[in-house]
Amino acid sequence: LFQGTFFVRILVSIDEDVRPGPAALEGTLSYQACTQTACLPPGGTALEIALDIAPPGAPANVLNAQLFQSFSAQEADRGGIPGAPFCGAGFCLTLIGLFLGGLALNLTPCIYPLIPITVSYFGGREDSGRGRTLVHGGLYMAGLAFTNSVLGLFAALSGGLLGAALQSPWVLGAVALILLALALSFFGVWEIRIPAGLNRIAARQYSGYFGTFFMGLTLGVVAAPCLGPFILGLLAYVGQTGDPLVGFVYFFVLSLGMGLPLACLGVFSGALKRLPGSGDWMVWVRGLLGWILVGMAAYMVRPLLPEGWPAAGLLGAVAVAAGIHLGWIDRTGATNRRFRRFRRAVGMVLVGAGVVYAFSAGGERPGVLWTPYCPEALAQAEVERRPVMLDFSAEWCVPCREMEEKVFTDPEVVALSRKIEALKVDLTRRRPDHKALLDRYAVRGVPTIVFIDRNGREIPGLRVEAFVDSSELASRMERLLQE
């Protein structure tokens, strides 16, 4: 979101066969203006930027140097993240969450076999000295992070295609099926194995600093099949942002969290003795990660379900099923009293959270019964001398959706709406007849509610052009009925 004056960077490349001389860069800037309480319809304005193509070898004259210096200063103030107004708490918390998520990925069973490879590599090094060892550990972690960071960069660069594809129900269903298939691997139905060839390559010895970096790069490739389910979800999100730097940073931070324990094991190989054995606790963690994948699959298909009980009930049911399975059905660690208590505590939390979420998000109250607008419905209301509440809204309008959830479900508003002809104009997808209707009622943005009396005339003093609470809307509806 941008507010005030901001810069938009456009990188232009000139083909070699373009003739020197005057030229023009033509295009369209698409935008949408919104506040906290109202949104204007999406719009666009034509752009034409004059260029002067210089012949090869011509001296370059810097233009608008002060403007670009100001642009660079603003990028520095935003923390170097293009498109972000500032590096706020949300962005920093996201990085912290990704780092912690990377640490949690070390609990996956297919990361555990990489530990002896890492320790044997560092233990077999001939060069000594704490300083050199720390440098090797940093290079090892950087190589491990590089592979996944390239994935994030690629996803962001192809974000337009990926983001558009994720609007298709077929693509969402396919991604959900892939996540479910990967979840079955965590439940033991089938198993993801590290290819033997990659395992042999990773176990080889390489010398020098570059060798350590290449070792981390190799293990990043080896770990990719194990981390694929989680990287898939993050790839989808980064692809929708379309920001290459954000994609690189997100995956780099995630990979740092994943590589830090391995690098520490390499630098301080004596810590291997303190590692917990790969016993029942790892089998239980594997099941927990499997349920996380099931939840991700449910989240992917949620846009395909109706709002209310179907969407909220699906996620709630996944949480309840996960809690029952992890807390009581799964018998791993049954002989360990502490671990058994821990499992049941996690199970109770998941069951409680699932039930609360399903009832709080899915408990849909009856709302205003809208009739889609058409000229015949408006004319019929005038014949029957019924007052009309004409609501202009759209799915891309956040205040409209808030009014639908919080205001139009209020019992007083619903009761008053039964005495009024409630017509809705959906501007989500513009139709040819919308322009004349918007001009007729001078609608500048949404939400807009027009109140029309029994004689077919608008009452200007009652018009709503921003989010209002239920008491304010009920008051205006009562005044409409009194008119």
Side-chain angles (χ1 to χ4, degrees):
L1 297 178
F2 297 93
Q3 183 174 359
T5 302
F6 57 91
F7 294 90
V8 177
R9 182 201 297 267
I10 303 176
L11 300 179
V12 182
S13 60
I14 308 299
D15 292 337
E16 295 181 357
D17 56 352
V18 175
R19 296 181 179 179
L25 179 66
E26 298 179 353
T28 302
L29 177 65
S30 301
Y31 62 89
Q32 183 176 13
C34 281
T35 67
Q36 295 291 340
T37 57
C39 288
L40 295 179
T45 182
L47 291 178
E48 183 174 341
I49 303 174
L51 301 175
D52 189 10
I53 309 300
N61 298 322
V62 179
L63 301 177
N64 304 313
Q66 185 176 1
L67 182 67
F68 282 95
Q69 289 175 359
S70 175
F71 176 83
S72 300
Q74 284 197 14
E75 276 198 332
D77 293 340
R78 294 195 300 261
I81 306 299
F86 53 86
C87 180
F91 180 78
C92 296
L93 289 176
T94 300
L95 295 184
I96 294 174
L98 288 172
F99 182 79
L100 296 177
L103 290 175
L105 289 176
N106 287 274
L107 299 176
T108 55
C110 51
I111 290 293
Y112 215 74
L114 302 182
I115 294 176
I117 299 176
T118 303
V119 175
S120 63
Y121 172 80
F122 278 88
R125 298 200 57 82
E126 298 179 356
D127 50 351
S128 59
R130 176 160 305 210
R132 289 186 177 181
T133 305
L134 291 176
V135 172
H136 279 286
L139 289 173
Y140 174 79
M141 189 165 55
L144 193 65
F146 180 79
T147 304
N148 293 332
S149 301
V150 171
L151 287 176
L153 185 64
F154 173 78
L157 289 175
S158 61
L161 176 61
L162 186 60
L166 288 173
Q167 305 299 319
S168 169
W170 296 101
V171 175
L172 291 176
V175 173
L177 289 177
I178 293 174
L179 291 173
L180 287 176
L182 293 169
L184 293 178
S185 71
F186 280 83
F187 293 139
V189 177
W190 62 286
E191 187 176 356
I192 300 177
R193 293 181 179 272
I194 299 175
L198 289 177
N199 210 344
R200 286 193 298 269
I201 293 175
R204 294 178 183 174
Q205 291 286 334
Y206 298 92
S207 59
Y209 290 126
F210 177 77
T212 302
F213 177 81
F214 184 78
M215 181 67 181
L217 183 67
T218 304
L219 285 186
V221 176
V222 170
C226 309
L227 310 181
F230 303 93
I231 291 178
L232 179 64
L234 190 57
L235 276 174
Y237 172 75
V238 169
Q240 289 178 328
T241 65
D243 196 321
L245 185 55
V246 169
F248 187 88
V249 170
Y250 278 6
F251 273 86
F252 191 78
V253 172
L254 174 75
S255 303
L256 287 181
M258 182 187 69
L260 181 60
L262 292 173
C264 290
L265 281 178
V267 175
F268 308 102
S269 57
L272 183 62
K273 299 178 181 178
R274 302 181 183 179
L275 280 177
S278 55
D280 289 344
W281 71 277
M282 288 198 67
V283 178
W284 186 85
V285 169
R286 181 182 179 126
L288 173 63
L289 295 173
W291 279 110
I292 291 176
L293 292 177
V294 175
M296 292 172 61
Y299 182 79
M300 293 298 294
V301 300
R302 185 181 179 184
L304 307 180
L305 302 176
E307 290 293 332
W309 280 109
L314 178 61
L315 294 178
V318 170
V320 171
I324 295 175
H325 176 261
L326 297 174
W328 290 274
I329 297 178
D330 190 347
R331 305 301 296 173
T332 55
T335 58
N336 189 322
R337 180 177 299 179
R338 291 184 178 179
F339 187 66
R340 187 169 64 249
R341 290 177 179 175
F342 172 76
R343 287 193 299 106
R344 291 181 178 177
V346 172
M348 287 188 291
V349 170
L350 288 174
V351 171
V355 172
V356 171
Y357 177 79
F359 279 94
S360 61
E364 189 175 352
R365 295 182 295 174
V368 175
L369 296 178
W370 296 100
T371 299
Y373 169 81
C374 63
E376 294 77 13
L378 188 61
Q380 183 65 26
E382 184 176 351
V383 171
E384 297 177 359
R385 296 186 58 80
R386 284 174 57 85
V388 175
M389 179 172 63
L390 186 59
D391 176 44
F392 293 84
S393 64
E395 292 182 5
W396 40 255
C397 169
V398 176
C400 300
R401 301 183 69 170
E402 290 183 355
M403 290 194 67
E404 198 69 41
E405 296 173 1
K406 301 177 181 178
V407 178
F408 295 135
T409 56
D410 182 80
E412 185 180 4
V413 173
V414 173
L416 290 171
S417 68
R418 298 193 182 103
K419 307 174 184 178
I420 299 172
E421 190 70 28
L423 302 179
K424 181 179 287 290
V425 182
D426 188 0
L427 300 176
T428 302
R429 295 173 180 83
R430 299 291 291 272
R431 300 201 311 263
D433 58 331
H434 280 168
K435 186 177 186 307
L437 188 63
L438 295 177
D439 292 341
R440 175 182 176 183
Y441 292 102
V443 176
R444 295 171 294 181
V446 288
T448 294
I449 303 177
V450 176
F451 294 93
I452 302 173
D453 64 15
R454 302 176 192 274
N455 298 317
R457 294 189 297 265
E458 179 190 355
I459 306 176
L462 299 183
R463 175 182 284 234
V464 172
E465 293 184 309
F467 178 88
V468 295
D469 57 25
S470 56
S471 61
E472 176 65 24
L473 182 63
S475 173
R476 300 188 185 216
M477 295 172 71
E478 289 175 350
R479 289 167 56 188
L480 172 66
L481 291 171
Q482 292 173 2
E483 291 284 346

Short mmCIF file of all heavy atoms in Angstrom, two decimals, residues 151-152 154-167 171-172 175-176 179 228-243 247 250-251 296 299-300:
data_model
loop_
_atom_site.label_atom_id
_atom_site.label_comp_id
_atom_site.label_asym_id
_atom_site.label_seq_id
_atom_site.Cartn_x
_atom_site.Cartn_y
_atom_site.Cartn_z
N LEU A 151 15.41 -20.51 -5.60
CA LEU A 151 14.02 -20.88 -5.81
C LEU A 151 13.10 -19.70 -5.52
O LEU A 151 12.15 -19.45 -6.26
CB LEU A 151 13.65 -22.07 -4.92
CG LEU A 151 14.21 -23.44 -5.30
CD1 LEU A 151 13.82 -24.47 -4.26
CD2 LEU A 151 13.74 -23.86 -6.67
N GLY A 152 13.36 -19.01 -4.41
CA GLY A 152 12.53 -17.85 -4.06
C GLY A 152 12.64 -16.75 -5.09
O GLY A 152 11.64 -16.10 -5.44
N PHE A 154 13.35 -17.10 -8.29
CA PHE A 154 12.65 -17.54 -9.49
C PHE A 154 11.14 -17.40 -9.33
O PHE A 154 10.44 -16.97 -10.24
CB PHE A 154 13.02 -18.99 -9.80
CG PHE A 154 12.23 -19.58 -10.93
CD1 PHE A 154 12.52 -19.28 -12.25
CD2 PHE A 154 11.16 -20.43 -10.67
CE1 PHE A 154 11.78 -19.81 -13.28
CE2 PHE A 154 10.42 -20.97 -11.70
CZ PHE A 154 10.73 -20.67 -13.02
N ALA A 155 10.64 -17.76 -8.15
CA ALA A 155 9.20 -17.67 -7.91
C ALA A 155 8.72 -16.23 -7.98
O ALA A 155 7.65 -15.94 -8.50
CB ALA A 155 8.85 -18.27 -6.54
N ALA A 156 9.53 -15.29 -7.46
CA ALA A 156 9.13 -13.89 -7.48
C ALA A 156 9.18 -13.33 -8.90
O ALA A 156 8.31 -12.56 -9.30
CB ALA A 156 10.03 -13.07 -6.55
N LEU A 157 10.21 -13.71 -9.67
CA LEU A 157 10.32 -13.21 -11.04
C LEU A 157 9.20 -13.72 -11.92
O LEU A 157 8.77 -13.04 -12.85
CB LEU A 157 11.68 -13.61 -11.63
CG LEU A 157 12.90 -12.90 -11.03
CD1 LEU A 157 14.18 -13.48 -11.60
CD2 LEU A 157 12.83 -11.40 -11.30
N SER A 158 8.71 -14.92 -11.64
CA SER A 158 7.59 -15.46 -12.40
C SER A 158 6.27 -15.24 -11.67
O SER A 158 5.30 -15.94 -11.93
CB SER A 158 7.78 -16.96 -12.63
OG SER A 158 7.85 -17.65 -11.39
N GLY A 159 6.25 -14.25 -10.77
CA GLY A 159 5.09 -14.06 -9.91
C GLY A 159 3.82 -13.75 -10.67
O GLY A 159 2.74 -14.15 -10.25
N GLY A 160 3.92 -13.03 -11.79
CA GLY A 160 2.71 -12.71 -12.52
C GLY A 160 2.02 -13.97 -13.00
O GLY A 160 0.82 -14.15 -12.85
N LEU A 161 2.79 -14.89 -13.59
CA LEU A 161 2.22 -16.14 -14.08
C LEU A 161 1.74 -17.00 -12.92
O LEU A 161 0.65 -17.56 -12.95
CB LEU A 161 3.26 -16.88 -14.92
CG LEU A 161 2.85 -18.25 -15.45
CD1 LEU A 161 1.65 -18.12 -16.37
CD2 LEU A 161 4.02 -18.90 -16.18
N LEU A 162 2.58 -17.12 -11.87
CA LEU A 162 2.21 -17.97 -10.74
C LEU A 162 1.00 -17.42 -10.02
O LEU A 162 0.10 -18.16 -9.64
CB LEU A 162 3.41 -18.10 -9.79
CG LEU A 162 3.26 -19.08 -8.63
CD1 LEU A 162 3.00 -20.48 -9.14
CD2 LEU A 162 4.51 -19.06 -7.76
N GLY A 163 0.97 -16.09 -9.82
CA GLY A 163 -0.17 -15.51 -9.12
C GLY A 163 -1.46 -15.67 -9.90
O GLY A 163 -2.51 -15.93 -9.33
N ALA A 164 -1.39 -15.54 -11.24
CA ALA A 164 -2.59 -15.71 -12.05
C ALA A 164 -3.04 -17.16 -12.04
O ALA A 164 -4.23 -17.46 -11.99
CB ALA A 164 -2.32 -15.26 -13.48
N ALA A 165 -2.07 -18.09 -12.07
CA ALA A 165 -2.43 -19.50 -12.07
C ALA A 165 -3.11 -19.91 -10.78
O ALA A 165 -4.01 -20.75 -10.78
CB ALA A 165 -1.18 -20.36 -12.30
N LEU A 166 -2.70 -19.28 -9.67
CA LEU A 166 -3.28 -19.64 -8.38
C LEU A 166 -4.71 -19.13 -8.21
O LEU A 166 -5.31 -19.36 -7.16
CB LEU A 166 -2.40 -19.12 -7.25
CG LEU A 166 -1.07 -19.87 -7.07
CD1 LEU A 166 -0.20 -19.18 -6.04
CD2 LEU A 166 -1.31 -21.31 -6.68
N GLN A 167 -5.23 -18.42 -9.20
CA GLN A 167 -6.64 -18.04 -9.16
C GLN A 167 -7.53 -19.11 -9.77
O GLN A 167 -8.75 -19.05 -9.66
CB GLN A 167 -6.84 -16.72 -9.93
CG GLN A 167 -5.96 -15.58 -9.46
CD GLN A 167 -6.20 -15.22 -8.01
OE1 GLN A 167 -7.35 -15.20 -7.58
NE2 GLN A 167 -5.15 -14.94 -7.28
N VAL A 171 -5.87 -25.33 -10.59
CA VAL A 171 -4.52 -25.24 -10.04
C VAL A 171 -4.56 -25.38 -8.53
O VAL A 171 -3.74 -26.07 -7.92
CB VAL A 171 -3.86 -23.92 -10.46
CG1 VAL A 171 -2.50 -23.75 -9.79
CG2 VAL A 171 -3.70 -23.87 -11.97
N LEU A 172 -5.51 -24.70 -7.88
CA LEU A 172 -5.63 -24.82 -6.42
C LEU A 172 -5.89 -26.26 -6.01
O LEU A 172 -5.31 -26.76 -5.04
CB LEU A 172 -6.76 -23.91 -5.93
CG LEU A 172 -6.52 -22.41 -6.02
CD1 LEU A 172 -7.77 -21.64 -5.59
CD2 LEU A 172 -5.34 -22.00 -5.15
N VAL A 175 -2.60 -28.31 -6.47
CA VAL A 175 -1.64 -28.04 -5.40
C VAL A 175 -2.08 -28.71 -4.11
O VAL A 175 -1.26 -29.29 -3.37
CB VAL A 175 -1.48 -26.52 -5.20
CG1 VAL A 175 -0.62 -26.23 -3.98
CG2 VAL A 175 -0.84 -25.89 -6.43
N ALA A 176 -3.37 -28.67 -3.81
CA ALA A 176 -3.88 -29.32 -2.60
C ALA A 176 -3.65 -30.82 -2.64
O ALA A 176 -3.28 -31.43 -1.64
CB ALA A 176 -5.37 -29.00 -2.41
N LEU A 179 -0.03 -31.53 -1.89
CA LEU A 179 0.24 -31.40 -0.46
C LEU A 179 -0.29 -32.60 0.31
O LEU A 179 0.36 -33.08 1.24
CB LEU A 179 -0.39 -30.10 0.06
CG LEU A 179 0.25 -28.81 -0.43
CD1 LEU A 179 -0.57 -27.61 0.03
CD2 LEU A 179 1.67 -28.69 0.08
N GLY A 228 10.50 -29.95 0.30
CA GLY A 228 9.62 -29.53 -0.78
C GLY A 228 8.21 -29.16 -0.35
O GLY A 228 7.67 -28.14 -0.80
N PRO A 229 7.55 -29.93 0.53
CA PRO A 229 6.19 -29.57 0.92
C PRO A 229 6.08 -28.18 1.52
O PRO A 229 5.14 -27.45 1.24
CB PRO A 229 5.84 -30.65 1.96
CG PRO A 229 6.71 -31.81 1.61
CD PRO A 229 7.97 -31.22 1.09
N PHE A 230 7.06 -27.79 2.32
CA PHE A 230 6.98 -26.48 2.96
C PHE A 230 7.42 -25.37 2.00
O PHE A 230 6.88 -24.27 2.00
CB PHE A 230 7.86 -26.47 4.21
CG PHE A 230 7.48 -27.55 5.18
CD1 PHE A 230 8.11 -28.77 5.15
CD2 PHE A 230 6.46 -27.36 6.08
CE1 PHE A 230 7.76 -29.78 6.02
CE2 PHE A 230 6.08 -28.35 6.95
CZ PHE A 230 6.74 -29.58 6.93
N ILE A 231 8.41 -25.69 1.16
CA ILE A 231 8.86 -24.71 0.17
C ILE A 231 7.75 -24.43 -0.83
O ILE A 231 7.61 -23.31 -1.32
CB ILE A 231 10.14 -25.21 -0.52
CG1 ILE A 231 11.30 -25.21 0.47
CG2 ILE A 231 10.48 -24.38 -1.73
CD1 ILE A 231 12.60 -25.73 -0.09
N LEU A 232 6.92 -25.43 -1.12
CA LEU A 232 5.83 -25.25 -2.08
C LEU A 232 4.87 -24.15 -1.62
O LEU A 232 4.48 -23.27 -2.40
CB LEU A 232 5.08 -26.56 -2.26
CG LEU A 232 3.89 -26.53 -3.23
CD1 LEU A 232 4.37 -26.23 -4.64
CD2 LEU A 232 3.15 -27.86 -3.20
N GLY A 233 4.50 -24.18 -0.35
CA GLY A 233 3.59 -23.16 0.16
C GLY A 233 4.22 -21.78 0.13
O GLY A 233 3.57 -20.79 -0.24
N LEU A 234 5.49 -21.69 0.51
CA LEU A 234 6.16 -20.39 0.50
C LEU A 234 6.38 -19.90 -0.92
O LEU A 234 6.31 -18.70 -1.19
CB LEU A 234 7.49 -20.50 1.25
CG LEU A 234 8.22 -19.18 1.55
CD1 LEU A 234 7.32 -18.24 2.33
CD2 LEU A 234 9.51 -19.43 2.30
N LEU A 235 6.64 -20.82 -1.85
CA LEU A 235 6.79 -20.43 -3.25
C LEU A 235 5.51 -19.79 -3.77
O LEU A 235 5.55 -18.79 -4.50
CB LEU A 235 7.13 -21.66 -4.10
CG LEU A 235 8.60 -22.07 -4.19
CD1 LEU A 235 8.72 -23.38 -4.95
CD2 LEU A 235 9.43 -20.99 -4.85
N ALA A 236 4.37 -20.37 -3.40
CA ALA A 236 3.09 -19.82 -3.85
C ALA A 236 2.90 -18.40 -3.33
O ALA A 236 2.47 -17.50 -4.05
CB ALA A 236 1.94 -20.71 -3.40
N TYR A 237 3.26 -18.18 -2.05
CA TYR A 237 3.08 -16.84 -1.48
C TYR A 237 4.04 -15.83 -2.11
O TYR A 237 3.64 -14.73 -2.49
CB TYR A 237 3.31 -16.90 0.03
CG TYR A 237 3.33 -15.53 0.67
CD1 TYR A 237 2.14 -14.82 0.86
CD2 TYR A 237 4.52 -14.93 1.05
CE1 TYR A 237 2.15 -13.57 1.43
CE2 TYR A 237 4.53 -13.68 1.62
CZ TYR A 237 3.35 -13.00 1.81
OH TYR A 237 3.37 -11.75 2.36
N VAL A 238 5.30 -16.22 -2.24
CA VAL A 238 6.29 -15.30 -2.82
C VAL A 238 5.94 -15.00 -4.27
O VAL A 238 6.11 -13.87 -4.75
CB VAL A 238 7.71 -15.90 -2.70
CG1 VAL A 238 8.71 -15.11 -3.52
CG2 VAL A 238 8.14 -15.93 -1.24
N GLY A 239 5.41 -16.01 -4.99
CA GLY A 239 5.04 -15.77 -6.38
C GLY A 239 3.96 -14.73 -6.52
O GLY A 239 3.92 -13.99 -7.49
N GLN A 240 3.07 -14.63 -5.53
CA GLN A 240 2.01 -13.63 -5.58
C GLN A 240 2.54 -12.23 -5.28
O GLN A 240 1.98 -11.25 -5.73
CB GLN A 240 0.91 -14.00 -4.61
CG GLN A 240 0.11 -15.21 -5.06
CD GLN A 240 -0.97 -15.59 -4.07
OE1 GLN A 240 -0.81 -15.41 -2.87
NE2 GLN A 240 -2.06 -16.14 -4.56
N THR A 241 3.63 -12.12 -4.50
CA THR A 241 4.19 -10.79 -4.23
C THR A 241 4.87 -10.22 -5.47
O THR A 241 4.83 -9.03 -5.69
CB THR A 241 5.20 -10.85 -3.08
OG1 THR A 241 6.33 -11.65 -3.47
CG2 THR A 241 4.57 -11.46 -1.83
N GLY A 242 5.51 -11.09 -6.26
CA GLY A 242 6.16 -10.62 -7.47
C GLY A 242 7.39 -9.78 -7.22
O GLY A 242 7.88 -9.11 -8.12
N ASP A 243 7.95 -9.79 -6.00
CA ASP A 243 9.10 -8.97 -5.65
C ASP A 243 10.32 -9.87 -5.54
O ASP A 243 10.40 -10.69 -4.63
CB ASP A 243 8.85 -8.23 -4.33
CG ASP A 243 9.83 -7.10 -4.13
OD1 ASP A 243 11.02 -7.29 -4.47
OD2 ASP A 243 9.43 -6.04 -3.63
N GLY A 247 11.43 -12.32 -2.33
CA GLY A 247 11.54 -13.76 -2.50
C GLY A 247 12.90 -14.29 -2.08
O GLY A 247 13.00 -15.31 -1.39
N TYR A 250 13.22 -13.92 1.88
CA TYR A 250 12.40 -14.89 2.62
C TYR A 250 13.05 -16.27 2.62
O TYR A 250 13.19 -16.92 3.67
CB TYR A 250 11.01 -14.97 2.00
CG TYR A 250 10.06 -13.89 2.45
CD1 TYR A 250 10.50 -12.84 3.26
CD2 TYR A 250 8.72 -13.89 2.07
CE1 TYR A 250 9.63 -11.85 3.67
CE2 TYR A 250 7.84 -12.91 2.49
CZ TYR A 250 8.30 -11.88 3.28
OH TYR A 250 7.44 -10.91 3.69
N PHE A 251 13.46 -16.72 1.44
CA PHE A 251 14.03 -18.06 1.38
C PHE A 251 15.43 -18.11 2.00
O PHE A 251 15.84 -19.14 2.53
CB PHE A 251 14.08 -18.53 -0.08
CG PHE A 251 12.82 -19.19 -0.52
CD1 PHE A 251 11.77 -18.43 -1.01
CD2 PHE A 251 12.67 -20.55 -0.42
CE1 PHE A 251 10.60 -19.04 -1.41
CE2 PHE A 251 11.48 -21.16 -0.81
CZ PHE A 251 10.45 -20.41 -1.32
N MET A 296 -2.39 -27.04 5.22
CA MET A 296 -2.04 -26.21 4.07
C MET A 296 -2.91 -26.56 2.87
O MET A 296 -3.34 -25.67 2.12
CB MET A 296 -0.56 -26.38 3.74
CG MET A 296 0.39 -25.81 4.78
SD MET A 296 2.11 -26.23 4.44
CE MET A 296 2.35 -25.46 2.85
N TYR A 299 -6.27 -25.05 3.39
CA TYR A 299 -6.21 -23.60 3.20
C TYR A 299 -6.19 -23.26 1.71
O TYR A 299 -6.78 -22.25 1.29
CB TYR A 299 -4.98 -23.04 3.88
CG TYR A 299 -4.85 -21.55 3.77
CD1 TYR A 299 -5.58 -20.69 4.59
CD2 TYR A 299 -4.00 -20.97 2.83
CE1 TYR A 299 -5.47 -19.33 4.48
CE2 TYR A 299 -3.88 -19.61 2.71
CZ TYR A 299 -4.61 -18.79 3.54
OH TYR A 299 -4.50 -17.42 3.43
N MET A 300 -5.54 -24.09 0.88
CA MET A 300 -5.47 -23.82 -0.55
C MET A 300 -6.84 -23.91 -1.20
O MET A 300 -7.15 -23.13 -2.11
CB MET A 300 -4.50 -24.79 -1.22
CG MET A 300 -3.04 -24.61 -0.82
SD MET A 300 -2.36 -22.99 -1.27
CE MET A 300 -2.41 -23.10 -3.05
#
